Amino acid sequence: MLSIVGIGPGGYDDMTVRAVNAIKNADVITGYKLYVDLVRDLTGGKEVFCTEMRGEVERCKKAAEFAISGKNVALISSGDAGIYGMAGLVLKILEDHPEVETEVIPGVSACQSGGAVLGAPLVHDFAVISLSNLLTPWSLIEKRLEAAASADFVIVLYNPGSHKRKDYLSRACDIMLRHKSPETVCGLVKNISRDGETSSITTLERLKSTPVDMLTTVFVGNSQTTVINGKMVTPRGYRI
Amino acid sequence: MLSIVGIGPGGYDDMTVRAVNAIKNADVITGYKLYVDLVRDLTGGKEVFCTEMRGEVERCKKAAEFAISGKNVALISSGDAGIYGMAGLVLKILEDHPEVETEVIPGVSACQSGGAVLGAPLVHDFAVISLSNLLTPWSLIEKRLEAAASADFVIVLYNPGSHKRKDYLSRACDIMLRHKSPETVCGLVKNISRDGETSSITTLERLKSTPVDMLTTVFVGNSQTTVINGKMVTPRGYRI
């Protein structure tokens, strides 16, 4: 059995009971070292195979090998293993091994944990877009930003910037500003549920020049999103 | 303290540790009766205030009253309280009571639990759209469907149909078919994690005439989404 486990933002409390049990019941734990370290309390005495950043293919192949050999494997993904996570890659790697049983165990993704820190930004239709162009052409990312902004979606941006992509958020804001007001309520959360967690609420105009990194998740409201007692809130439409 | 608790699809195993503890530590539990019943094992001996369907405003106001009076309240939402959930409504109701401490506890939403049942449909950019026009004009829903389809998002449809809205999914498919191939891989999951859970994989063309109800979640792939060993998988772009 290969369990592809989303562990959420990192703390034990934000894991589902099913994720905790899958890790406890596994023979082998595989994952990105940083994330495996987050669940180290649960992995005591087990075989552990970690890789560093960018080692996605290597660790998924290794997890598949362990599972093919008959071991119970928990492949750890931060957030939700099915949202920009390892679930798709592992299922592809196991294409020629339909005999291996797999399960995807969902976890709390950054759009949820970050949203909860900010308030309730995702209470209406939303789009999730990664600004990383490592695996996706920038032209497609631009097209998605434009489409989502034009239809007044709340937009969540994953991987909004890095050392090499310092101006990507600014470019994304320019595209969204073609359709969204400069006063659109936006939020940022960094290091969600970890030491040094910070969050702030701003406007789309100011977001354009806000520095971000790979550990930041960005929320861009729709035209109805507002600030209530310091929280970012998108209304659903109820009359009270 | 008012905890707005997402309990996930319904089973204890799919709740986060934080959600379990918030319910255990609350003085009062409020929520839609069906969802409160799902966590009945955790609510023993506590005060419980339930309303029936459509009682959202009433139960959120009641939860706010309890919190204003100094009680620890857990307001239960199925899935994630921040995704089409009660979080926004409660924060609005408490607008004039900034002294009441609130926390949103994320849970596994249907796009995640349903996605995990199907495989890994959400591994790339996606849009979440509710087809319910109770609180949203249908023209805006159409606009969002068109925009998301035109930019090749994976699309998740919540509330795809009901007795009164039998043809909404069909109409939504017509809009998406303007931009997406009739062969686009689609998936349906009904009664996620509950008795009678069923799932199926189909095409966008066939989805158009597939009956659905309020307990069904619908997934429409992007142009790269494929079927691997019976699972719906959207690739991220890794080379293996």
Side-chain angles (χ1 to χ4, degrees):
Chain A
M1 164 67 94
L2 200 167
S3 302
I4 308 154
V5 183
I7 61 167
Y12 175 78
D13 280 1
D14 284 308
M15 294 177 70
T16 65
V17 174
R18 206 143 78 90
V20 171
N21 289 337
I23 294 171
K24 282 185 180 166
N25 295 333
D27 304 314
V28 192
I29 311 292
T30 62
Y32 171 34
K33 191 172 177 306
L34 179 71
Y35 302 145
V36 172
D37 284 344
L38 291 172
V39 295
R40 195 62 83 172
D41 290 348
L42 301 172
T43 61
K46 296 181 192 300
E47 190 173 353
V48 173
F49 179 84
C50 295
T51 61
E52 297 296 332
M53 225 168 110
R54 304 274 175 91
E56 291 91 347
V57 174
E58 184 191 0
R59 64 179 173 268
C60 287
K61 283 187 172 172
K62 195 76 186 177
E65 277 173 32
F66 283 126
I68 291 165
S69 76
K71 289 187 173 169
N72 284 322
V73 187
L75 173 67
I76 308 293
S77 221
S78 76
D80 186 320
I83 296 180
Y84 303 114
M86 297 292 101
L89 181 54
V90 173
L91 294 175
K92 177 70 184 170
I93 287 169
L94 283 169
E95 187 160 22
D96 297 330
H97 290 277
E99 79 281 6
V100 174
E101 205 184 339
T102 58
E103 61 170 357
V104 179
I105 299 181
V108 172
S109 188
C111 62
Q112 304 173 286
S113 48
V117 170
L118 291 169
L122 303 186
V123 176
H124 214 300
D125 305 330
F126 63 97
V128 179
I129 302 173
S130 168
L131 291 193
S132 168
N133 65 339
L134 280 177
L135 299 168
T136 305
W138 180 253
S139 58
L140 180 57
I141 297 170
E142 283 194 336
K143 189 176 180 183
R144 288 180 177 159
L145 288 165
E146 175 105 38
S150 75
D152 201 25
F153 278 98
V154 177
I155 300 174
V156 188
L157 302 176
Y158 281 52
N159 309 309
S162 70
H163 287 303
K164 287 190 184 165
R165 302 183 288 109
K166 280 196 193 307
D167 65 334
Y168 281 30
L169 179 60
S170 168
R171 288 157 66 183
C173 287
D174 280 335
I175 294 166
M176 293 186 284
L177 280 164
R178 290 178 202 153
H179 302 279
K180 287 178 179 279
S181 157
E183 296 306 311
T184 301
V185 176
C186 295
L188 300 105
V189 192
K190 188 174 168 175
N191 297 316
I192 300 169
S193 294
R194 299 183 195 164
D195 288 344
E197 176 185 288
T198 55
S199 68
S200 58
I201 291 180
T202 184
T203 64
L204 184 52
E205 182 62 41
R206 281 182 287 157
L207 181 66
K208 198 171 133 53
S209 53
T210 303
V212 290
D213 62 19
M214 292 297 280
L215 298 173
T216 311
T217 307
V218 173
F219 296 74
V220 179
N222 69 19
S223 58
Q224 307 302 307
T225 304
T226 183
V227 181
I228 299 175
N229 295 323
K231 303 275 187 188
M232 179 178 181
V233 178
T234 302
R236 182 80 194 274
Y238 292 106
R239 289 187 187 184
I240 59 170
Chain B
M1 163 68 92
L2 200 167
S3 302
I4 308 153
V5 184
I7 62 167
Y12 175 77
D13 280 2
D14 285 308
M15 294 176 71
T16 65
V17 175
R18 206 142 79 91
V20 171
N21 290 337
I23 294 171
K24 283 185 180 165
N25 295 333
D27 305 312
V28 193
I29 312 292
T30 62
Y32 172 33
K33 190 172 176 307
L34 179 71
Y35 302 145
V36 172
D37 284 343
L38 291 171
V39 295
R40 196 60 83 173
D41 290 349
L42 301 171
T43 61
K46 295 180 192 300
E47 189 174 353
V48 173
F49 178 84
C50 296
T51 61
E52 298 296 330
M53 227 169 110
R54 304 273 174 94
E56 291 92 346
V57 175
E58 184 191 1
R59 65 179 173 267
C60 286
K61 283 187 172 173
K62 196 76 187 179
E65 277 173 32
F66 282 127
I68 291 166
S69 76
K71 289 187 174 170
N72 284 321
V73 187
L75 173 66
I76 307 293
S77 219
S78 76
D80 185 321
I83 297 180
Y84 304 114
M86 297 293 101
L89 180 54
V90 174
L91 294 175
K92 178 69 185 170
I93 287 170
L94 284 169
E95 187 160 22
D96 296 331
H97 290 276
E99 78 282 6
V100 174
E101 205 183 338
T102 58
E103 62 171 353
V104 180
I105 300 182
V108 171
S109 188
C111 63
Q112 304 172 286
S113 48
V117 170
L118 291 169
L122 304 186
V123 176
H124 214 300
D125 305 331
F126 63 97
V128 179
I129 303 173
S130 167
L131 292 194
S132 169
N133 65 339
L134 281 177
L135 300 168
T136 305
W138 179 253
S139 59
L140 180 58
I141 298 170
E142 283 195 335
K143 190 176 180 182
R144 287 179 177 159
L145 288 164
E146 176 105 37
S150 75
D152 201 24
F153 277 98
V154 177
I155 300 173
V156 188
L157 302 176
Y158 281 52
N159 309 311
S162 71
H163 287 302
K164 287 191 185 164
R165 302 184 288 109
K166 279 196 192 310
D167 66 332
Y168 282 29
L169 178 60
S170 169
R171 288 157 67 183
C173 287
D174 280 335
I175 294 166
M176 293 187 284
L177 280 163
R178 292 179 202 153
H179 301 279
K180 287 179 178 279
S181 157
E183 296 306 312
T184 302
V185 176
C186 295
L188 300 103
V189 192
K190 188 173 168 175
N191 295 316
I192 301 168
S193 293
R194 300 184 193 162
D195 289 345
E197 176 185 288
T198 55
S199 68
S200 59
I201 291 180
T202 184
T203 64
L204 184 52
E205 182 62 42
R206 281 182 288 157
L207 181 65
K208 197 170 133 52
S209 53
T210 303
V212 290
D213 62 19
M214 291 298 280
L215 299 172
T216 310
T217 308
V218 172
F219 295 75
V220 179
N222 69 18
S223 58
Q224 308 300 308
T225 302
T226 183
V227 180
I228 299 174
N229 295 322
K231 303 275 188 189
M232 180 179 181
V233 178
T234 301
R236 181 81 194 274
Y238 292 107
R239 289 187 188 185
I240 59 171

